[in-house]
């Protein structure tokens, strides 16, 4: 079952200008160290990499049903990539608590994320799915 859907569109040039203006203060407030390493490893697409992750965090907060309010932190949501390149959303802190609260008993939440960019735009979609747990993994109450 679908628990939440979120999307966001970010302007790469706006993110680039924000990085130029605020530098590390902006980057360390919004992005994890791992996300920063990923962006820096792509010298021809640094701003686009950050813009896609910005959009993913916005989309995830919308899928969680909160937007960026109610105690959620930018760093409570982070995007990494599998070796295949597929993006993966990780949630911690308040975002993880919100995800747990919205997941029905007997289910496991799975966050699906897709990212794309076409200068000057970066876009992300997030779908949160609740999958039934296998009978052996359900807790007994």
């Amino acid at each position: 079952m679908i628990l939440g859907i979120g999307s966001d569109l970010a302007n790469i040039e706006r993110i680039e200008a924000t990085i130029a203006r605020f530098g590390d203060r902006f980057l360390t407030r919004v992005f994890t160290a791992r996300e920063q390493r990923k962006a820096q490893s792509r010298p021809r697409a640094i701003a686009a990499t950050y813009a896609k992750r910005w959009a993913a965090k916005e989309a995830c907060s919308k899928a969680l049903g909160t937007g960026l309010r109610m105690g959620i932190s930018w760093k409570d949501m982070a995007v990494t990539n599998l070796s295949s390149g597929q993006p993966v959303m990780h949630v911690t802190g308040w975002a993880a608590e919100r995800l747990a609260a919205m997941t029905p008993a007997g289910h496991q939440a799975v966050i699906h994320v897709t990212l794309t960019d076409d200068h000057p735009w970066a876009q992300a979609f997030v779908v949160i799915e609740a999958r039934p747990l296998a009978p052996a993994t359900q807790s007994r109450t």
Side-chain angles (χ1 to χ4, degrees):
M1 97 181 61
I2 303 299
L3 298 179
I5 299 172
S7 69
D8 193 66
L9 185 66
N11 185 286
I12 296 168
E13 293 169 354
R14 179 174 154 248
I15 297 296
E16 188 171 41
T18 302
I19 294 168
R21 182 172 178 194
F22 297 105
D24 286 342
R25 193 169 110 209
F26 168 70
L27 296 176
T28 58
R29 182 175 155 253
V30 176
F31 302 100
T32 65
R34 188 170 180 180
E35 288 174 312
Q36 291 177 54
R37 285 191 303 273
K38 174 70 172 180
Q40 296 304 318
S41 75
R42 305 184 71 217
R44 294 182 54 164
I46 291 173
T49 302
Y50 280 126
K52 286 186 284 190
R53 279 149 180 76
W54 171 279
K57 291 168 188 262
E58 286 274 8
C60 185
S61 71
K62 293 171 185 175
L64 289 168
T66 63
L68 286 162
R69 58 184 178 88
M70 296 176 58
I72 200 166
S73 165
W74 286 102
K75 287 185 175 180
D76 284 348
M77 302 164 289
V79 177
T80 62
N81 295 85
L82 299 177
S83 59
S84 65
Q86 176 184 346
V88 178
M89 177 65 71
H90 305 273
V91 293
T92 58
W94 192 89
E97 292 173 20
R98 171 69 180 144
L99 181 63
M102 64 191 285
T103 304
H107 289 75
Q108 175 185 18
V110 178
I111 302 174
H112 304 276
V113 60
T114 185
L115 309 173
T116 191
D117 67 282
D118 187 7
H119 193 86
W121 301 106
Q123 186 174 37
F125 288 96
V126 170
V127 175
I128 301 175
E129 172 190 13
R131 288 187 186 160
L133 293 171
T137 60
Q138 291 185 17
S139 61
R140 290 179 167 68
T141 54

